[in-house]
Amino acid sequence: MSADTLLQLEQRLIAEERPFAVVTVIRAGPPTSAWVGAQALVDSEGLLHGWIGGGCSRAIVIQAALEAIRSGQPKRIRISNEAAMPDADVELHTMPCASNGTLELFIQPTLPAPLVLVLGSTPTALEACALAQRVGLRVCAAANVGAPLVALGLVHVIQGFNAEAFDQVKPQMIL
């Protein structure tokens, strides 16, 4: 997978508000098929796109990436059989391949911004929508009158503002 294709996938997942993690090789000790700077993307379903080494490290990388997505925190992992000084910032894994190569990877999760559901179209509700957008939150609004909400440029507007509005918010919109 080319760098451009990987970037396009990343942009699509961001637009779809789906979480993912980018995995970058930061150290590759021979023998290994990976190289420093190689990248892959792991989506929230555990699919790995790109190349960060052979099949030996694949399951470890996917699991570590899913953990980073769940926690929202970046991490470094080392997959190796060589003795290393303990490092509190690096998660150690045993290399399952007989080749005994070493990989060190940086995993950076990307999560959609938290979602705010605003009920109503009063001036206070409109200001809450505008403020939430200004600080980078995703906004879904529900009200009987949609025109003032649409004027704010909201992507998600639900007609009506009763408890059923919560059922209309797609599960992938909520973290």
Side-chain angles (χ1 to χ4, degrees):
M1 176 174 273
S2 73
D4 287 343
T5 305
L6 202 60
L7 183 58
Q8 289 169 0
L9 174 58
E10 188 173 345
Q11 291 170 337
R12 190 182 89 231
L13 292 173
I14 290 169
E16 292 173 0
E17 300 174 337
R18 293 179 47 203
F20 63 91
V22 175
V23 180
T24 305
V25 176
I26 57 175
R27 180 174 170 241
T32 181
S33 59
W35 60 91
V36 173
Q39 288 191 315
L41 185 146
V42 177
D43 65 25
S44 60
E45 297 171 3
L47 296 174
L48 186 135
H49 309 269
W51 180 257
I52 43 80
C56 296
S57 59
R58 186 179 184 90
I60 295 169
V61 170
I62 290 171
Q63 184 60 40
L66 290 173
E67 289 169 7
I69 291 169
R70 278 192 290 278
S71 72
Q73 298 298 313
K75 63 167 47 181
R76 282 177 36 208
I77 66 168
R78 182 178 299 131
I79 307 170
S80 179
N81 289 330
E82 66 184 39
M85 294 294 293
D87 187 344
D89 295 335
V90 180
E91 187 177 290
L92 300 175
H93 295 272
T94 302
M95 173 59 82
C97 282
S99 67
N100 286 328
T102 297
L103 282 176
E104 192 166 325
L105 306 120
F106 180 72
I107 301 172
Q108 177 65 54
T110 298
L111 305 173
L115 176 71
V116 174
L117 175 60
V118 177
L119 301 177
S121 60
T122 64
T124 302
L126 295 174
E127 187 56 35
C129 291
L131 178 61
Q133 286 179 311
R134 262 184 299 220
V135 298
L137 301 174
R138 295 179 298 142
V139 180
C140 180
N144 285 333
V145 181
L149 298 167
V150 173
L152 290 174
L154 298 180
V155 176
H156 309 292
V157 176
I158 300 169
Q159 292 299 312
F161 62 97
N162 56 27
E164 293 173 6
F166 291 103
D167 295 332
Q168 293 180 33
V169 178
K170 296 179 184 175
Q172 66 265 25
M173 290 173 51
I174 300 174
L175 289 176

